[in-house]
């Protein structure tokens, strides 16, 4: 019963990793019936190859003991340790290791090699395996089952502020427009029209600010300034090209859901040679309701041939996140300088938040290797 008690604590640590999207491995170190070190896998979160559950637990245990030797301790871990962690166990002089389920691809306690019984090292350790094996194996199986389900799903990208570093553009176009009409741009103007289609924004602007030109003339002024900027100066966000190309290579469905029109976003996608990576374009030309409603995400999923619950949406504004969630989709917030002040609101509404698409690319590639 003693082993099951402490392994259950290690499983609780593994659950913390799972909730963060990390491979769910947990570890505790026990000294005289007291847990003196805890850890769970944080490799993705910390972007650190050393951030395995065992290493984190050993670090904490050494700090609490005031010694690098853990000679009277027992290490409990949900999955058989890898070569790095087994080496750390030897270095820390831990005399007993208890693990739950085998690690057939990297385990160096029994599966590939038994480092802990090799007497050529200056330390060996007792090994007890299979404690709560089913529970430890199931949390891993459930994690990868959910991950494989997401792998077969659709990935929907917003354009401005998410895929493209273009949030400045519309503020520039709007500022120039109001300047031409002898007005200062209202401080809340960008926020008010952020979810609107091109046409809706023109109607709103004409009616709200008593613009003499017709809606069509307003759109033409915006169009001319925007096309010039998109074609010459707009760049895509770091690592988004690599991530989208990765998704395409793995035959995942990729879509674009944007209130923008093709003449704006297509020149940018063509410049980066990723137009062919997209299976669907749900854009302003479709005449769908703005992003205060889930319609554009649902339409994009339909065009990709993917069920909404199997879609992940990337957005940089809170309302886009909320509408994607209302569509039954997984929603990931993407950092953009213009929406940085709303990061807390985005994080609260989203299933995750990234500063760069490198985070998603790293998670995807490393999880596939683990399988």
């Amino acid at each position: 019963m003693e082993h099951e008690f402490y392994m259950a604590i290690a499983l609780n640590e593994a659950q913390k990793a799972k909730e963060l999207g990390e491979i769910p491995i947990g570890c505790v170190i026990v000294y005289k019936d007291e847990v003196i070190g805890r850890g769970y896998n944080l490799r993705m979160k910390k972007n650190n190859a050393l951030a395995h559950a065992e290493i984190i637990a050993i670090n904490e245990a050494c700090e609490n003991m005031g010694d690098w030797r853990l000679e009277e301790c027992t290490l409990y871990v949900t999955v058989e340790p890898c070569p790095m962690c087994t080496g750390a166990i030897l270095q820390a002089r831990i005399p007993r290791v208890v693990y739950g389920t085998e690690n057939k691809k990297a385990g160096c306690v029994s599966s590939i090699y038994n480092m802990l019984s090799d007497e050529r090292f200056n330390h060996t350790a007792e090994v007890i395996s299979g404690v709560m094996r089913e529970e430890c194996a199931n949390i891993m199986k459930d994690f990868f089952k959910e991950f494989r389900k997401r792998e077969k799903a659709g990935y929907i990208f917003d354009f401005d502020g998410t895929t493209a570093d273009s949030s400045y553009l519309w503020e520039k176009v709007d500022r120039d427009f109001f300047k031409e009409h002898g007005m200062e741009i209202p401080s809340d103007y960008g926020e008010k029209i952020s979810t609107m289609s091109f046409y809706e924004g023109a109607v709103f602007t004409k009616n709200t600010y008593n613009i003499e030109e017709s809606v069509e003339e307003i759109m033409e002024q915006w169009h001319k300034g925007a096309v010039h900027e998109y074609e010459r100066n707009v760049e895509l966000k770091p690592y988004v090209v690599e991530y989208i190309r990765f998704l395409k290579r793995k035959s995942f469905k990729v879509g674009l859901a944007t209130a923008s029109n093709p003449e704006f976003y297509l020149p940018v996608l063509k410049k980066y040679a990723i137009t062919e990576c997209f299976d669907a374009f749900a854009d302003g030309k479709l005449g769908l309701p703005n992003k205060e409603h889930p319609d554009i995400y649902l339409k994009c999923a339909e065009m990709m041939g993917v069920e909404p619950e199997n879609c992940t949406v990337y957005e940089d504004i809170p309302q886009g996140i909320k509408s994607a969630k209302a569509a039954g989709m997984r929603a990931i917030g993407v950092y953009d300088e213009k929406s940085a002040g709303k990061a807390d609101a985005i994080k609260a509404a989203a299933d995750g938040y990234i500063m760069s698409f490198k985070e998603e690319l790293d998670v995807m590639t490393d999880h596939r290797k683990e399988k």
Side-chain angles (χ1 to χ4, degrees), residues 244-351:
I244 289 172
R245 285 177 177 164
F246 172 85
L247 295 175
K248 185 64 176 178
R249 286 199 305 273
K250 301 304 177 182
S251 300
F252 304 149
K253 297 293 185 180
V254 180
L256 193 74
T258 175
S260 185
N261 289 338
E263 57 266 35
F264 301 143
Y265 65 77
L266 281 179
V268 187
L269 299 183
K270 288 177 180 177
K271 181 168 64 176
Y272 285 87
I274 59 170
T275 310
E276 300 304 319
C277 293
F278 288 87
D279 299 284
F281 295 101
D283 56 37
K285 290 287 188 180
L286 297 179
L288 296 169
N290 63 45
K291 286 190 173 181
E292 292 183 355
H293 307 274
D295 302 57
I296 194 167
Y297 306 107
L298 293 170
K299 183 62 177 178
C300 194
E302 178 188 337
M303 294 168 74
M304 292 190 300
V306 178
E307 293 298 320
E309 60 267 26
N310 292 333
C311 289
T312 295
V313 173
Y314 296 101
E315 269 283 1
D316 69 307
I317 59 173
Q319 190 54 57
I321 294 290
K322 292 175 183 177
S323 293
K325 295 292 290 181
M329 301 177 179
R330 179 170 172 261
I332 302 297
V334 179
Y335 172 83
D336 186 65
E337 184 176 356
K338 187 174 181 180
S339 60
K342 300 176 183 177
D344 289 342
I346 294 172
K347 291 176 183 177
D351 296 294

Side-chain angles (χ1 to χ4, degrees), residues 1 3-15 18 24-26 77-80 99-102 129-144:
M1 287 299 295
H3 294 326
E4 284 79 3
F5 176 80
Y6 291 115
M7 188 61 75
I9 299 176
L11 269 168
N12 186 58
E13 294 296 305
Q15 182 63 33
K18 183 180 179 183
I25 299 174
V77 63
T78 56
V79 177
E80 179 186 358
Y99 72 84
T101 189
E102 290 73 18
S129 63
V131 175
M132 298 183 71
R133 175 183 280 116
E134 185 175 353
E135 293 88 342
C136 293
N138 284 342
I139 192 172
M140 293 286 283
K141 289 176 182 176
D142 290 346
F143 176 82
F144 286 115

Side-chain angles (χ1 to χ4, degrees), residues 5-269:
F5 176 80
Y6 291 115
M7 188 61 75
I9 299 176
L11 269 168
N12 186 58
E13 294 296 305
Q15 182 63 33
K16 296 176 184 177
K18 183 180 179 183
E19 291 171 0
L20 290 175
E22 299 273 0
I23 296 172
I25 299 174
C27 177
V28 296
I29 296 174
V30 177
Y31 173 72
K32 294 184 178 179
D33 298 326
E34 179 184 356
V35 174
I36 60 168
R38 299 170 184 257
Y40 53 89
N41 187 29
L42 286 171
R43 186 173 57 180
M44 297 298 108
K45 187 75 171 177
K46 291 181 175 292
N47 285 322
N48 189 334
L50 304 180
H52 286 205
E54 298 96 318
I55 301 297
I56 294 170
I58 288 171
N59 280 333
E60 184 177 297
C62 289
E63 289 180 6
N64 287 331
M65 291 288 284
D67 196 345
W68 62 268
R69 300 175 184 85
L70 302 176
E71 293 177 333
E72 297 181 55
C73 298
T74 300
L75 182 145
Y76 292 85
V77 63
T78 56
V79 177
E80 179 186 358
C82 71
M84 177 180 71
C85 295
T86 307
I89 290 166
L90 290 172
Q91 291 296 320
R93 307 292 193 268
I94 297 172
R96 183 165 62 173
V97 173
V98 182
Y99 72 84
T101 189
E102 290 73 18
N103 182 351
K104 297 297 184 182
K105 293 185 178 180
C108 279
V109 173
S110 60
S111 294
I112 295 177
Y113 179 51
N114 190 341
M115 290 174 64
L116 297 182
S117 67
D118 192 330
E119 295 183 354
R120 291 175 295 179
F121 294 117
N122 62 355
H123 175 72
T124 59
E126 175 190 2
V127 175
I128 300 173
S129 63
V131 175
M132 298 183 71
R133 175 183 280 116
E134 185 175 353
E135 293 88 342
C136 293
N138 284 342
I139 192 172
M140 293 286 283
K141 289 176 182 176
D142 290 346
F143 176 82
F144 286 115
K145 181 180 179 181
E146 179 62 26
F147 185 78
R148 284 190 291 271
K149 179 181 177 182
R150 293 204 304 269
E151 280 191 319
K152 296 176 182 178
Y155 294 82
I156 299 175
F157 294 78
D158 169 53
F159 189 68
D160 291 304
T162 299
T163 303
D165 194 7
S166 56
S167 294
Y168 79 93
L169 184 149
W170 286 109
E171 184 174 344
K172 179 179 184 298
V173 170
D174 295 338
R175 187 171 58 250
D176 291 345
F177 175 83
F178 277 95
K179 184 177 180 180
E180 289 176 7
H181 290 78
M183 292 185 281
E184 290 288 333
I185 184 171
S187 60
D188 59 350
Y189 179 74
E191 182 177 354
K192 286 182 176 179
I193 67 169
S194 63
T195 62
M196 297 181 186
S197 69
F198 206 55
Y199 177 79
E200 288 173 325
V203 172
F204 170 82
T205 302
K206 176 176 174 58
N207 294 338
T208 305
Y209 303 103
N210 299 314
I211 304 299
E212 292 183 1
E213 289 97 326
S214 67
V215 169
E216 290 72 20
E217 289 170 333
I218 293 172
M219 293 171 63
E220 180 59 30
Q221 290 180 45
W222 288 350
H223 184 276
K224 184 177 179 180
V227 167
H228 179 274
E229 192 69 20
Y230 274 114
E231 289 180 345
R232 289 163 175 78
N233 299 321
V234 169
E235 298 180 353
L236 294 186
K237 291 284 189 76
Y239 292 97
V240 71
V241 172
E242 293 86 343
Y243 184 48
I244 289 172
R245 285 177 177 164
F246 172 85
L247 295 175
K248 185 64 176 178
R249 286 199 305 273
K250 301 304 177 182
S251 300
F252 304 149
K253 297 293 185 180
V254 180
L256 193 74
T258 175
S260 185
N261 289 338
E263 57 266 35
F264 301 143
Y265 65 77
L266 281 179
V268 187
L269 299 183

